[in-house]
């Protein structure tokens, strides 16, 4: 139907549509407050500034493990909590190495050190990390994600005694 309109009307209509979309996008950006919602990047930056070289990071969800390991410095200190050494394909199984995984049984025998746990309170919240009795909780910080349905990235700091 639009193809049968004269060229000038089509150009005006397309320009009007682009302006409406641009103003809509600008309104979305203005109301999102992206600069105040740091999510995973903010959480990992906080851990890098507050933690130490011996700290390890344990992530409860495969959906958050890959962004965490991307922002982790150094990467070998970041692990995914999983019951089995091989994950299902839709949880990242094809790209997760066995060395990336830490099991709940391994948490019981961790050497004394600082441990950071990362989980989410969002729509796709997967799993929780049950801290063993030797772990002493020290603090919790929340880092909101951009969209409300994503929830917050929840970071807990423990000291293993």
């Amino acid at each position: 139907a639009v193809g049968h309109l004269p060229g000038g009307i089509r150009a005006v209509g397309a320009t009007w549509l682009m302006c409406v979309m641009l103003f809509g996008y600008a309104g979305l950006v203005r109301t999102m407050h992206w600069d105040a919602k740091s999510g995973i990047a903010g959480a990992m930056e906080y851990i890098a500034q507050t933690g130490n070289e011996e700290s390890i990071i344990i992530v409860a969800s495969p959906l958050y493990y890959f962004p965490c390991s991307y922002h982790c410095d150094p990467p070998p200190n970041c692990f995914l909590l999983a019951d089995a050494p091989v994950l299902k394909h839709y949880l990242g199984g094809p790209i997760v190495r066995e060395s990336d995984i830490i099991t709940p049984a391994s948490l019981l025998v961790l050497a004394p050190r600082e441990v950071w746990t990362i989980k989410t309170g969002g729509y796709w919240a997967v799993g929780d990390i049950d801290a063993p009795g030797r772990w002493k909780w020290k603090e919790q910080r929340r880092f909101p994600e951009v969209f409300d349905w994503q929830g917050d990235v929840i970071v807990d700091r423990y000291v293993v005694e």
Side-chain angles (χ1 to χ4, degrees), residues 46-130:
Y46 177 74
I47 291 171
Q49 292 173 354
T50 311
N52 59 53
E53 291 180 8
E54 298 294 318
S55 298
I56 65 169
I57 301 162
I58 300 173
V59 184
S61 169
L63 298 171
Y64 274 59
Y65 172 71
F66 298 106
C68 285
S69 61
Y70 173 79
H71 290 286
C72 188
D73 185 28
N77 291 348
C78 189
F79 300 96
L80 171 62
L81 182 66
D83 292 329
V86 179
L87 297 177
K88 295 181 177 161
H89 71 282
Y90 57 85
L91 294 176
I95 57 176
V96 172
R97 298 177 305 241
E98 197 170 326
S99 61
D100 294 336
I101 294 177
I102 191 167
T103 63
S106 301
L107 299 181
L108 299 172
V109 295
L110 276 179
R113 65 177 65 201
E114 185 175 66
V115 175
W116 297 85
T117 64
I118 297 177
K119 59 188 176 191
T120 179
Y123 174 74
W124 53 45
V126 177
D128 201 357
I129 299 175
D130 295 323

Side-chain angles (χ1 to χ4, degrees), residues 37-41 64 120 143-148 150-153:
K37 297 180 178 182
S38 58
I40 287 288
Y64 274 59
T120 179
F143 299 86
E145 288 284 7
V146 173
F147 301 104
D148 291 336
Q150 290 176 296
D152 293 344
V153 175

